[in-house]
Amino acid sequence: MKLFIVAALLAVAVAVPSGYPSNYKDSSYMTSPSNASSGYNKDSRYGGITITSQHDVRNLDGSSKWGYSGSDYTTREESQVQKKMQGVAYDSYGKATYDDVYGNTNAGSSYWVSPEGEKFTLTWTADENGFQPKGDHLLVAPVHVYELPVAPVHEYELPVAPALPYRRTGAGSYNTYNTY
């Protein structure tokens, strides 16, 4: 009975309409024959931008290449290749071993023009060395031209306990005599 009440309350909570305003003028996301000229119109602010070309190739070896171009001169290209790398493999018991594993390496590029007219190009690779983006608009970490300070090293000897003669006493010692 409690489960039924919780399920009913959850269904009512999901069915309550949102108080946020909708930015969509057209509620149909798919192009129908009657409005074929309008194209995909999900966001009314960018209604005039259309995809002018796109390609997508998926190969049996796990590699792929895809991309698209927009009417606003936006382009994106990306390729993926499976590569054998040194990595961690887990057996059926959860034990980790270093072994050859297959991973994806990605490379791609994007080009777009900002609303101010500035042109941006971004290229990247993602492989066993991590994600490496490159672009003129990306910030670069400053280079240190000075030597960083090093903590001082104190050289001293640790005190050593004096060596004392050792004499075995108690059970099992050679000087113990059993008196029965």
Side-chain angles (χ1 to χ4, degrees):
M1 184 64 182
K2 291 179 185 178
L3 181 62
F4 177 73
I5 293 172
V6 170
L9 288 174
L10 184 62
V12 170
V14 170
V16 172
S18 172
Y20 296 108
S22 175
N23 292 331
Y24 304 119
K25 289 182 181 176
D26 185 12
S27 62
S28 67
Y29 296 114
M30 301 300 291
T31 304
S32 63
S34 63
N35 61 356
S37 63
S38 66
Y40 184 77
N41 194 15
K42 183 176 178 183
D43 195 340
S44 62
R45 296 175 293 175
Y46 306 109
I49 300 172
T50 57
I51 301 297
T52 57
S53 69
Q54 74 179 41
H55 64 277
D56 189 359
V57 178
R58 308 286 171 154
N59 299 321
L60 292 176
D61 64 353
S63 64
S64 64
K65 185 173 183 176
W66 63 272
Y68 65 86
S69 299
S71 61
D72 62 342
Y73 305 108
T74 301
T75 61
R76 176 148 183 200
E77 300 279 333
E78 188 167 340
S79 63
Q80 169 187 327
V81 177
Q82 283 198 341
K83 181 179 176 184
K84 189 183 282 191
M85 306 179 209
Q86 185 72 16
V88 178
Y90 296 95
D91 63 4
S92 59
Y93 296 106
K95 182 181 177 186
T97 58
Y98 286 98
D99 199 6
D100 288 336
V101 296
Y102 285 96
N104 293 335
T105 61
N106 292 32
S109 66
S110 292
Y111 172 80
W112 69 95
V113 180
S114 72
E116 293 81 23
E118 191 175 355
K119 298 175 183 177
F120 293 99
T121 301
L122 175 68
T123 58
W124 68 89
T125 57
D127 54 13
E128 63 270 11
N129 298 322
F131 180 70
Q132 303 158 4
K134 295 177 184 161
D136 294 336
H137 63 286
L138 296 177
L139 299 175
V140 179
V143 178
H144 294 287
V145 293
Y146 55 89
E147 194 171 322
L148 295 174
V150 178
V153 177
H154 300 287
E155 293 185 21
Y156 55 90
E157 292 184 22
L158 294 174
V160 178
L164 299 175
Y166 177 74
R167 182 168 176 212
R168 207 170 163 175
T169 60
S173 66
Y174 298 114
N175 297 337
T176 309
Y177 298 102
N178 291 333
T179 55
Y180 290 106

